[in-house]
Amino acid sequence: MSNQRPETSFEGEIQTDFQDKMTYGDYLCLDQVLSAQNPRSDPPHHDELLFIIQHQTTELWMKLILHELQAAIAYMKADTLEPCFKIFARIKLIQVQLFSQWGVLATLTPSEYAQFRHVLGQASGIQSMQYRAIEFTLGNKRRAMLEIFKDDPESYAKLQAILERPSIYDEFLRHLYRQGYAVPQESIRRDWSLPYQRNPKLIPVFKAIYENPRQHWDPYAMCEKFVDMEEQFQLWRFRHMKTVERIIGYKVGTGGSAGVAYLKKALDFTFFPELLDVRTEIGSVGD
């Protein structure tokens, strides 16, 4: 007597005939995605694949962040804030993913990385066009950073266009102005390519919003979404700095930056300064 069990069939009507039909791999272009990891160490070092995938997945998440930010800007231009709440909630969760990814890379030890770091040459995350696009879109604009992309005309043109138009925070301030809030003229008409400068005249505007959230619900909720994004970005920057410190110590970065010192300096920057400054004024003695 045979002990073999009869072969069980697939449940329901699972598709098994893919002749002239699109498959999961076709839709996601997995042949391209999964063949895009090309370690350069010879012989291939085991941990180089981790390093490549870490950075490729980061770029994919950043592509989605940029997609979402552009949608939010379009809604702000149309004076419709409510759809932005879901967009910013999604961005925050993407940022959480990006933060957590550093933990995977941190399993790479200094001695392991030293065995293949030389194959990077001058390649560095500082050359990430999408990261720079995110920074510019959020308001950290530095024209000098365009020079990194001068040999890539397409990336240069894209970044220059983002540099020279209002950031998402600028668009929020312009929205508030159109809604009748006392946003000063210098916040709605300026050279958008210049770095944003904190403006004390905005503090009374945000103070009124925070002290009367029911009356100003949409701007109030939007302010908190901006603060969420700021906080998550700072956590990401800190984790980035600590991971680099853990793996290469205080070596100069492959792209020529000061490495950990450069990353530490970035922690001092804030995208939306008045949204943090106003907290000191809310509920203060003498109000």
Side-chain angles (χ1 to χ4, degrees):
M1 181 180 293
S2 173
N3 291 325
Q4 285 186 327
R5 289 185 174 183
E7 184 178 344
T8 55
S9 61
F10 288 116
E11 284 188 31
E13 298 297 326
I14 294 178
Q15 183 70 47
T16 59
D17 180 8
F18 296 102
Q19 186 70 31
D20 300 321
K21 295 183 178 71
M22 182 174 65
T23 67
Y24 172 82
D26 294 335
Y27 177 70
L28 296 177
C29 300
L30 290 182
D31 56 340
Q32 298 174 47
V33 173
L34 298 179
S35 62
Q37 296 74 46
N38 299 297
R40 294 174 180 264
S41 51
D42 186 18
H45 190 281
H46 175 80
D47 295 303
E48 191 180 355
L49 184 63
L50 159 66
F51 190 84
I52 293 170
I53 289 176
Q54 164 83 21
H55 290 82
Q56 286 181 338
T57 52
T58 296
E59 289 292 331
L60 287 171
W61 283 125
M62 289 195 295
K63 182 175 183 176
L64 185 55
I65 287 176
L66 284 167
H67 176 70
E68 300 295 343
L69 287 173
Q70 292 308 312
I73 287 172
Y75 281 119
M76 287 182 190
K77 285 182 173 181
D79 293 322
T80 307
L81 291 186
E82 190 172 350
C84 297
F85 303 158
K86 179 177 179 179
I87 289 172
F88 272 56
R90 178 176 291 168
I91 290 173
K92 179 180 177 180
L93 291 174
I94 297 169
Q95 290 178 296
V96 170
Q97 292 291 324
L98 289 170
F99 175 88
S100 297
Q101 282 188 196
W102 289 119
V104 182
L105 191 63
T107 64
L108 181 66
T109 68
S111 55
E112 289 166 345
Y113 183 45
Q115 292 178 57
F116 68 86
R117 188 182 188 229
H118 64 282
V119 305
L120 273 68
Q122 294 181 316
S124 166
I126 201 171
Q127 298 148 15
S128 168
M129 188 278 286
Q130 292 195 126
Y131 176 78
R132 194 57 50 197
I134 291 172
E135 287 262 5
F136 283 3
T137 302
L138 295 182
N140 187 13
K141 298 187 177 183
R142 289 182 287 167
R143 186 174 290 276
M145 299 305 291
L146 288 177
E147 288 301 300
I148 295 172
F149 305 92
K150 64 184 178 182
D151 296 322
D152 180 355
E154 184 178 354
S155 294
Y156 189 99
K158 287 180 179 178
L159 287 172
Q160 184 175 30
I162 297 171
L163 179 79
E164 294 176 354
R165 63 182 180 233
S167 71
I168 194 167
Y169 189 51
D170 291 324
E171 292 293 2
F172 180 54
L173 295 178
R174 296 171 85 189
H175 162 78
L176 292 178
Y177 177 81
R178 290 192 297 270
Q179 300 306 303
Y181 291 90
V183 175
Q185 287 292 310
E186 59 267 29
S187 293
I188 62 168
R189 293 186 181 90
R190 65 182 187 86
D191 182 345
W192 306 118
S193 69
L194 296 177
Y196 181 82
Q197 300 292 324
R198 62 176 11 105
N199 190 339
K201 296 177 185 177
L202 284 168
I203 299 302
V205 176
F206 289 123
K207 188 170 185 286
I209 289 171
Y210 269 93
E211 290 182 339
N212 298 278
R214 288 181 180 272
Q215 183 181 347
H216 309 283
W217 181 258
D218 281 3
Y220 168 77
M222 196 72 251
C223 288
E224 285 298 279
K225 294 296 185 184
F226 274 114
V227 173
D228 280 345
M229 184 185 295
E230 173 91 58
E231 182 176 304
Q232 291 300 322
F233 210 104
Q234 288 293 73
L235 290 172
W236 182 87
R237 281 173 168 157
F238 180 78
R239 190 71 185 270
H240 183 188
M241 181 270 293
K242 296 303 291 184
T243 303
V244 171
E245 182 181 57
R246 174 178 179 144
I247 296 175
I248 68 168
Y250 295 88
K251 294 184 181 75
V252 172
T254 51
S257 75
V260 169
Y262 174 82
L263 297 173
K264 281 184 176 179
K265 186 177 180 181
L267 291 171
D268 294 332
F269 180 82
T270 179
F271 292 111
F272 322 120
E274 295 87 4
L275 296 183
L276 298 179
D277 294 345
V278 71
R279 283 155 161 74
T280 306
E281 303 300 321
I282 297 169
S284 59
V285 176
D287 283 354

